Amino acid sequence: MKPDMFRQPVSILVGLGFPAEVRGVMDAYRHLVEWPVSFRDAAHSVALKACHAALHGEIEAETARGFFAAFAAKHDLLAPETPAIAASHMRRDRDPHVQ
């Protein structure tokens, strides 16, 4: 596993509420950089600094993941793991015709 990858992805809601998996520090950093300036706060700043530090090898990726997950939770971005979502993931994994 690459040093900038998370052990467990952080599932967040993007756009019109579609779930997306943030799998590593670079993904988290990208989401934070794209976050609208008018909505940025202390949680955003801390998460952004943590991701920057992780990308430069100053802290562990899992530490940055924790700050990113806390930011996502504060802003109600964490995607709920529902049976329907879990079932669709399993079905997609088994059936090559389902995308």
Side-chain angles (χ1 to χ4, degrees), residues 33-96:
V33 167
E34 293 174 356
W35 189 252
V37 174
S38 60
F39 294 138
R40 294 181 183 185
D41 58 4
H44 175 273
S45 177
V46 170
L48 186 65
K49 287 177 185 176
C51 288
H52 186 267
L55 288 171
H56 287 88
E58 297 167 4
I59 65 171
E60 299 291 323
E62 289 303 306
T63 303
R65 181 194 184 280
F67 284 112
F68 180 75
F71 161 79
K74 181 177 189 263
H75 292 280
D76 295 323
L77 298 176
L78 291 178
E81 184 63 34
T82 63
I85 292 172
S88 71
H89 288 300
M90 290 186 317
R91 195 168 110 212
R92 186 179 326 130
D93 291 342
R94 284 181 296 167
D95 188 349

Side-chain angles (χ1 to χ4, degrees), residues 2-46:
K2 293 189 207 174
D4 66 332
M5 298 303 290
F6 298 151
R7 286 188 198 124
Q8 238 346 277
V10 179
S11 296
I12 62 170
L13 300 173
V14 296
L16 298 172
F18 294 102
E21 288 190 343
V22 178
R23 296 181 178 275
V25 177
M26 186 52 86
D27 286 345
Y29 186 80
R30 190 174 306 120
H31 281 287
L32 291 164
V33 167
E34 293 174 356
W35 189 252
V37 174
S38 60
F39 294 138
R40 294 181 183 185
D41 58 4
H44 175 273
S45 177
V46 170

